[in-house]
């Protein structure tokens, strides 16, 4: 619609329900008023650029910007277009320059990056970062990066500075965290590039400072048996110096649950009461608490359910909303690193090769997919909550249309694994594979 806009006409514009109205001014070509269903009135100037696009340039809101002011701003914008400029692009550059003036050092950039990540305005993978990821990044920055780079001007950080940082970490035997540090710096510069604070990302395409060692550790039955029985009675074990293994009851239960349920250590550590249905024997993890962002249903077979109930009965839990609260703060869960450290102390006292909670997860998955478990690999991947392309159909079809959570199949698989594990550790008699013959006269 194109009319000669007046205050009376502007106030009379009422969009249809669920829509918005757009009215062009007859007097000033390109001047557009957009009115939302809620009554918000915004002025725009619409124009054509050399590549054929027709962007809109915001001029202000009515009535703060009146008709006469809107027409004058539209005339000024048209003058820029006729001179070969793009008003919207010029404004973006001016805004980026203003932001850049407040972001001088790398510490300034990191602060802006964390604010954008927490607000969800920066979504490097199309979705907001999880709180646990942001917390991990903050610890990484404080521990390994801040001292070296925080005061450096953003414009002076390049590959040489990052290599100096990561090579210093490698010299101290810090390998995996060196890779993570470089990845974090690369991501902060990707954020800066998206916000037009820098012209390019100087860290892009840098090779990792340390080889990425993919762990292949799978525990054998004897190791599983030793670990499980020590977790039940940790004080019975002493190290080489005769000191008893110190392991809290909560961590002991958490590690056994990690072995039974095969979920990630962070998910076990952060288990919440609100996500548990003890009557149905189900633990439901919402999408914002898991790695792939999709809700995940974890059935609780009998032994796992009993361990959850035992954890809830611990005297030091108090009224915490978490099954495994932090010893320092009842309103926060125990940190996932606590499970790794506890497992490390345990295997060291047992004089076993290094093993962690993720090795328990890998071991269970390997046994389930073997002849012992005889569970289809696709169902194993569902138990692990992996994003998989197995199971038929295109991955896009399954991701967007197949919302079946496979709860029944996962319960069957976890029950199979629970039975196998309890047989391994001696808490359940092994099923006989001998069929008796009836005696006849």
């Amino acid at each position: 619609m194109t009319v000669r806009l007046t205050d009376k006409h502007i106030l009379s514009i009422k969009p249809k329900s669920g829509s918005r109205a757009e009215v062009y001014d007859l007097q000033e070509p390109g001047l557009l008023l957009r009115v939302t269903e809620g009554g918000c009135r915004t002025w725009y100037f619409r124009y054509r650029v050399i590549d054929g696009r027709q962007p809109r340039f915001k001029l202000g809101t009515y009535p703060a910007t009146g008709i006469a002011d809107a027409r004058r701003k539209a005339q000024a914008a048209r003058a820029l277009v006729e001179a070969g400029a793009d008003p919207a692009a010029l404004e973006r550059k001016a805004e980026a320059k203003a932001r850049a003036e407040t972001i001088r050092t790398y510490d300034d950039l990191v602060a802006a990056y964390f604010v954008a990540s927490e607000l969800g305005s920066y979504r490097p993978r199309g979705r907001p970062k999880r709180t646990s990821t942001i917390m991990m990044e903050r610890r990484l920055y404080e521990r390994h990066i801040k001292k070296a780079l925080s005061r450096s001007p953003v414009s002076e950080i390049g590959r040489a500075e990052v290599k100096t940082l990561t090579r210093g970490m490698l010299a101290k035997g810090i390998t995996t965290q060196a890779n993570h540090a470089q990845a974090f710096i690369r991501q902060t510069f990707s954020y800066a590039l998206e916000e037009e604070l820098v012209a390019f990302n100087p860290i892009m395409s840098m090779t990792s400072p340390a080889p990425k060692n993919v762990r292949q550790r799978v525990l054998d039955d004897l190791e599983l048996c030793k670990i499980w029985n020590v977790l039940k009675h940790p004080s019975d074990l002493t190290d080489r110096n005769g000191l008893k293994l110190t392991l809290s009851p909560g961590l002991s239960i958490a590690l056994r649950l990690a072995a039974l349920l095969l979920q990630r250590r962070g998910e076990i550590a952060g288990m919440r009461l609100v996500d548990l249905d003890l009557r149905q024997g189900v633990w439901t993890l919402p999408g914002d608490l898991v790695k792939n962002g999709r809700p995940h249903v974890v059935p609780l077979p009998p032994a796992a359910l009993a361990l959850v109930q035992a954890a809830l009965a611990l005297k030091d839990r108090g009224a915490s909303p978490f099954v495994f609260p932090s010893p320092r703060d009842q309103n926060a869960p125990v940190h996932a690193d606590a499970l790794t450290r506890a497992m490390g102390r345990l295997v060291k006292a047992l004089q076993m090769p290094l093993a962690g909670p993720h090795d328990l997860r890998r071991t269970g998955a390997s046994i389930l997919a073997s002849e012992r478990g005889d569970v289809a690999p696709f169902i194993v991947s569902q138990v692990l909550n992996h994003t998989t392309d197995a199971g038929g159909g295109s991955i896009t079809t399954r991701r967007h249309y197949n919302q079946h959570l496979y709860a029944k199949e996962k319960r069957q698989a976890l029950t199979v694994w629970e039975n196998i594990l309890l047989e391994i550790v001696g808490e359940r008699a092994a099923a006989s594979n001998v069929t008796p013959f009836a005696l006849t006269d």
Side-chain angles (χ1 to χ4, degrees), residues 1 30 45 56 77 86 98 107 116 133 147 165 180 191 235 239 275 376 400 403 406-407 426:
M1 179 187 296
F45 174 65
R56 282 190 293 264
D86 183 341
D107 202 48
T133 300
K147 184 178 180 180
L165 169 69
H180 291 168
Y191 162 75
S235 60
D239 61 19
D275 299 328
H400 295 291
Q403 299 299 318
Y406 297 94

Side-chain angles (χ1 to χ4, degrees), residues 19-35:
S19 65
R20 64 191 179 196
E22 292 189 346
V23 182
Y24 283 91
D25 183 32
L26 184 62
Q27 179 176 325
E28 190 60 49
L31 179 59
L32 166 69
L33 181 72
R34 174 180 289 175
V35 184

Side-chain angles (χ1 to χ4, degrees), residues 171-183:
K172 298 176 183 178
I174 304 171
T175 55
T176 302
Q177 291 297 296
N179 289 343
H180 291 168
Q182 180 174 296

Side-chain angles (χ1 to χ4, degrees), residues 170 175-176 178-179 207-214:
L170 294 177
T175 55
T176 302
N179 289 343
T207 57
S208 298
K212 295 182 179 180
N213 296 319
V214 179

Side-chain angles (χ1 to χ4, degrees), residues 106 110 113-114 137-138 140-141 145 179-189:
Y106 185 64
V110 170
Y113 165 82
F114 280 131
E137 290 181 337
R138 284 189 178 277
L140 179 71
Y141 177 64
I145 305 171
N179 289 343
H180 291 168
Q182 180 174 296
F184 173 79
I185 297 169
R186 181 175 60 248
Q187 191 160 154
T188 57
F189 273 95

Side-chain angles (χ1 to χ4, degrees), residues 200-263:
F200 65 98
N201 186 337
I203 320 302
M204 192 59 67
S205 302
M206 282 185 69
T207 57
S208 298
K212 295 182 179 180
N213 296 319
V214 179
R215 287 182 60 81
Q216 303 290 339
R217 179 97 157 89
V218 174
L219 285 75
D220 61 32
D221 287 9
L222 181 58
E223 290 175 320
L224 282 173
C225 187
K226 288 180 178 179
I227 290 171
W228 183 273
N229 288 311
V230 168
L231 286 173
K232 289 180 63 179
H233 307 288
S235 60
D236 291 350
L237 183 66
T238 57
D239 61 19
R240 295 178 181 178
N241 300 319
L243 299 175
K244 290 186 176 182
L245 178 66
T246 56
L247 191 65
S248 71
L251 282 178
S252 168
I253 293 174
L255 285 171
R256 279 181 282 165
L257 273 177
L260 283 169
L261 297 178
L262 308 181
Q263 303 308 304

Side-chain angles (χ1 to χ4, degrees), residues 1-6 9 13 23-27 71:
M1 179 187 296
T2 303
V3 299
R4 188 180 185 281
L5 290 170
T6 63
H9 185 81
I13 299 173
V23 182
Y24 283 91
D25 183 32
L26 184 62
Q27 179 176 325
R71 286 170 177 158

